[in-house]
Amino acid sequence: MMRAAIFPNPLCCCCLFFFFFFSFVFSISATDIITPSHPLSNGETLISAKGTFALGFFTAPDSANRYLGIWYHKFPGQTVVWVANRRNPIHNLNATLSITADDASLYLTTSGNSTAIWSSPSFPKSFPNPIGQLLDTGNFVLKSSNSSSFLWQSFDHPTDTMLPGMKLGPNLKTGIDRNITAWLSASDPSPGKYTLAIEPIGVPQLVIRDASGNWIWRGGPWNGFGFSGAGPNQYFDLGLYREFISGFNVSTEEIYYYFNSVGDAISIITMDENGTARRYGWQASLQKWDLYWLAPSDPCDFFSTCGINAFCNGSSSPICYCLDGFDPKNPASWSRGNWSDGCVRVANLGCGTNGTDEFMLVRGSKLPDTTEAVADMRLDLDGCRARCLMNCSCRAYASADLSMGGNGCIIWMAEIKDLRVYADGGQDLYVRIAPRGKGSKRKRWVIVLASVATVLFFLITLICVIMIRRRKGKYFFGEQLISSPNWADEIMHKGNEGNSEILLFQFTQIVNATNNFSDINKLGEGGFGPVYKGKLPDGQDIAIKRLSARSGQGLEEFKNEILLIAKLQHRNLVRLLGCCIWGEEKMLVYEFMPNKSLDLFLFDVEQGLKLDWRRRFQIIEGVAQGLLYLHKHSRLRIIHRDLKASNILLDIDMNPKISDFGMARIFDANEAQANTQRIVGTYGYMSPEYAFKGLFSVKSDVFSFGVLLLEIVSGMRNAGFYEFDSWSNLLAYAWDLWKEGNLKELVDPALDNQFQHDEVTRCVYVALLCVQESPDDRPVMSDVISMLSNGSLNFSSIKPPAFFAMKNASGSKRPLNLHVNDASNGLSVSIVAGR
Ligand SMILES: *[C@@H]1O[C@H](CO)[C@@H](O)[C@H](O)[C@H]1NC(C)=O
Ligand SMILES: *[C@@H]1O[C@H](CO)[C@@H](O)[C@H](O)[C@H]1NC(C)=O
Ligand SMILES: *[C@@H]1O[C@H](CO)[C@@H](O)[C@H](O)[C@H]1NC(C)=O
Ligand SMILES: *[C@@H]1O[C@H](CO)[C@@H](O)[C@H](O)[C@H]1NC(C)=O
Ligand SMILES: *[C@@H]1O[C@H](CO)[C@@H](O)[C@H](O)[C@H]1NC(C)=O
Ligand SMILES: *[C@@H]1O[C@H](CO)[C@@H](O)[C@H](O)[C@H]1NC(C)=O
Ligand SMILES: *[C@@H]1O[C@H](CO)[C@@H](O)[C@H](O)[C@H]1NC(C)=O
Ligand SMILES: *[C@@H]1O[C@H](CO)[C@@H](O)[C@H](O)[C@H]1NC(C)=O
Ligand SMILES: *[C@@H]1O[C@H](CO)[C@@H](O)[C@H](O)[C@H]1NC(C)=O
Ligand SMILES: *[C@@H]1O[C@H](CO)[C@@H](O)[C@H](O)[C@H]1NC(C)=O
């Protein structure tokens, strides 16, 4: 992608002198505009205001052809990001870019020929004083000198590079498709074979097309964080940390993907001549471009490798498999590795008449092709399931927006196509299948085989265990442990010193307790890996968090963290009972919380009734105490960084206990990214300075606490606030009601007006203080606690809360959801446009 410097060019040697002479002359009066009286001639360049970009003439590498283009001026090497006359090179050295005064048009001519090699559209005379200006974003615009709106802009006509601030996708009104099309070759910028574009039909998707319009690769629909099929690496720095912020916007006018730089970081996306799209970031310390992401990147990435009703598994061989309940359509060619015919159903669907169909869960999916799919942002997964069962064409459903806690869904109205499963990341897809029992002969066989295999597996494991025990004469803790036998003692010892007991579990104990990590025992998928319920032989229930392998932490560090965290003892923190290390596996064992998490009560109409105001207030106080302890009284000063309703667990008496504390320490404390669908921090709970600058402090936890407080009072999610069209989120809604003094409106209807008005007022006041834009305006937890309990609190005036994540006025904010034009009417995102 990084093209070589333009000169010296053999044909141009004689002009070098002139070139440098002119460069010199014009660098003195570097300007970023051309006007009718000051055109741009060969050898001159426009330099954007801060010197980021240059616009001028360059020679394509290994070629004599010259072009008008834009490149990064402030980086060495000439990274060309835009070419005006990509189809018509300049053979004559004397070219000029001019602007016509009377009809406002840019045109590129060569000496002695008045026919333009390239020109922008022209605009009527009503635009006085037209100028062409190179902006510091790399956008070359045509506008009226005293106006801020553009008549024409190069950002609407990208070549092979997407810059921060550009939009990728069709404008349905003007018909302009902003796509990025590769150069034909490294020495020829004319449009090449491959294009990265947004496909608007069905639920919009990111795709790479070839010259005849066939899809090479499909990034899939936007899932709130990224494109479903762009793979885990697309989140390089997660679009959140420093590097860039990205989003996707769907309206009846336009559909586009965009990203913006954060701070000084610069990232671009390019399309190359061989069909690979890449994202690069500028590495300032090394003065070079770093590759962040690319697609397609493996055989499963190519469009529909496995045909319909099949899935591609990149980590196994062969890579293609029929979905459960399907057989190869053409078994002979399938077994030869020609998968193009895909698979067919073994048993026909019941199709509604009896309502007997079932759904099979495919975890870790890249969502299948959504050309024939519809999205409905109002339904939850149960609603989706019901809707799918109502229509015989429906084949599958999945959550449409993971950033909103799984709100909205996509429903497939055609056979599953281009499905792949990821070892890590991906999302849940529910595929409709005929009722089990039909075609069950085959199933039973599978079950029998599976049981035999399991038994064999256990026998072999057992034999291995016994052999290793014999050899080492020691407990089987896993290899590393055997090599450092002292550490078990050490843990016991130190643990006791801190007045806590931390147990070292054997892997076999954990396997037995969880039925070998069976799905039935799975409680859920936390940010750092799955959580299982287990039962110890003495009957005690435990919860086991199986940390994903990528914690990036060495054994020694892990051990130290556990020792530290085990010392944190507070009645509002979930108690760590012990851990287990086995090879690469690291597991944490916690006390089991029978009432699961707060969100299950808070955001559920029926369960919400179980939380009366007294309980809610106790929960608020408990969480505040737990947080205060983490921030202040524990010797460690832990910043939780992911406080949210689903991380508040409830014991049998509904006492709140904060969970997942210390995880940010166990995972690399800087940028813990555990599950690819998740970053440390959750949208809706993240403070502005953390979300945009990666800065965190105890005040970021205070912000999350404020959001949680409002959620507990209102029973509504901050992220997921669809019902109230005129407010962008819960914070804005609460703020408006606070100003009006109408808090009754805010309180969860489940409370049926049974609440202490003064307590609610205090809670909302404190919450609004906690969610202030500036960390300095937020209280610390000790103040929060005293304010919550202070009956004679005096409500001084407060500033409006931060609405950062919801607004998009400056274009630099991140949208939280697939923007639906009119969510209040439940309009589906199913935009149909002609190809
Ligand atoms: C370029 O312009 C210069 C001066 O205007 C002229 O002398 C020269 O012949 C021109 N070159 C070509 C190839 O037209
Ligand atoms: C003038 O330029 C146009 C466009 O590049 C080209 O088609 C035409 O042949 C040129 N005419 C002459 C006389 O060179
Ligand atoms: C721009 O300047 C022209 C005259 O130079 C004036 O007529 C016009 O109103 C100005 N437009 C704006 C938006 O200021
Ligand atoms: C890319 O956009 C251009 C300009 O809007 C359009 O003519 C072209 O068909 C698009 N190409 C693809 C492959 O979408
Ligand atoms: C594209 O493929 C050709 C032939 O394999 C290779 O020479 C060229 O370097 C590739 N281009 C890029 C940008 O990777
Ligand atoms: C994909 O392959 C890997 C390695 O063979 C296996 O562990 C995993 O279970 C497979 N995934 C699915 C969904 O079949
Ligand atoms: C794979 O099978 C399809 C249809 O059966 C056939 O059209 C295609 O040529 C085969 N491809 C290869 C590489 O054999
Ligand atoms: C519906 O159920 C009846 C009997 O319960 C069965 O005969 C019929 O085949 C079923 N229909 C479908 C479409 O499965
Ligand atoms: C089922 O879905 C298809 C495709 O969206 C639609 O044309 C059809 O009317 C639907 N049928 C029913 C009964 O809703
Ligand atoms: C989405 O597009 C609409 C209409 O163009 C605009 O009002 C809104 O601000 C955009 N949102 C984002 C996040 O870009």
Side-chain angles (χ1 to χ4, degrees), residues 30-50:
T31 171
D32 62 351
I33 59 172
I34 63 168
T35 63
S37 54
H38 284 102
L40 183 80
S41 327
N42 205 21
E44 298 174 339
T45 47
L46 298 182
I47 308 292
S48 66
K50 290 185 192 148

Side-chain angles (χ1 to χ4, degrees), residues 320-346:
C320 290
Y321 299 89
C322 287
L323 284 163
D324 241 8
F326 294 83
D327 279 341
K329 181 168 181 208
N330 186 341
S333 64
W334 183 271
S335 58
R336 278 198 310 272
N338 180 348
W339 300 295
S340 58
D341 287 339
C343 306
V344 290
R345 250 170 231 287
V346 176

Side-chain angles (χ1 to χ4, degrees), residues 304-512:
S304 199
T305 301
C306 300
I308 60 169
N309 296 321
F311 65 91
C312 195
N313 183 347
S315 44
S316 67
S317 173
I319 54 176
C320 290
Y321 299 89
C322 287
L323 284 163
D324 241 8
F326 294 83
D327 279 341
K329 181 168 181 208
N330 186 341
S333 64
W334 183 271
S335 58
R336 278 198 310 272
N338 180 348
W339 300 295
S340 58
D341 287 339
C343 306
V344 290
R345 250 170 231 287
V346 176
N348 285 333
L349 289 176
C351 253
T353 47
N354 295 358
T356 46
D357 288 337
E358 292 172 13
F359 289 91
M360 169 183 63
L361 172 58
V362 183
R363 290 186 200 278
S365 304
K366 158 182 177 173
L367 296 183
D369 182 11
T370 52
T371 311
E372 292 176 64
V374 290
D376 189 331
M377 300 311 288
R378 284 200 323 167
L379 295 179
D380 60 4
L381 279 181
D382 288 338
C384 260
R385 182 195 178 92
R387 184 158 154 199
C388 186
L389 282 173
M390 273 160 49
N391 190 323
C392 194
S393 313
C394 176
R395 291 292 180 264
Y397 67 91
S399 194
D401 192 338
L402 303 173
S403 70
M404 313 292 291
N407 272 3
C409 68
I410 299 179
I411 297 176
W412 279 262
M413 290 301 192
E415 300 295 340
I416 303 299
K417 189 177 200 176
D418 194 30
L419 172 63
R420 71 173 292 181
V421 293
Y422 291 112
D424 212 346
Q427 59 189 93
D428 288 351
L429 173 76
Y430 298 86
V431 177
R432 185 179 192 168
I433 49 170
R436 310 217 186 231
K438 283 192 178 186
S440 60
K441 245 187 205 163
R442 187 165 155 267
K443 283 249 163 56
R444 241 175 265 143
W445 262 110
V446 171
I447 292 169
V448 168
L449 275 179
S451 336
V452 169
T454 314
V455 168
L456 269 178
F457 172 80
F458 272 103
L459 274 177
I460 291 170
T461 312
L462 197 69
I463 291 169
C464 288
V465 168
I466 291 171
M467 277 167 60
I468 291 175
R469 271 194 192 190
R470 282 224 181 119
R471 197 173 295 171
K472 302 270 178 180
K474 271 206 178 288
Y475 276 99
F476 183 60
F477 280 154
E479 273 174 70
Q480 280 116 327
L481 272 190
I482 291 170
S483 62
S484 65
N486 286 340
W487 110 230
D489 293 345
E490 198 185 329
I491 279 200
M492 297 296 185
H493 182 70
K494 286 202 184 161
N496 286 337
E497 178 189 319
N499 223 357
S500 64
E501 268 175 37
I502 165 130
L503 300 173
L504 198 55
F505 288 87
Q506 295 168 30
F507 187 61
T508 44
Q509 277 180 302
I510 304 280
V511 166
N512 290 340

Side-chain angles (χ1 to χ4, degrees), residues 678-692:
R678 226 205 64 155
I679 25 189
V680 160
T682 302
Y683 296 102
Y685 291 93
M686 253 188 283
S687 61
E689 74 276 8
Y690 183 30
F692 294 128

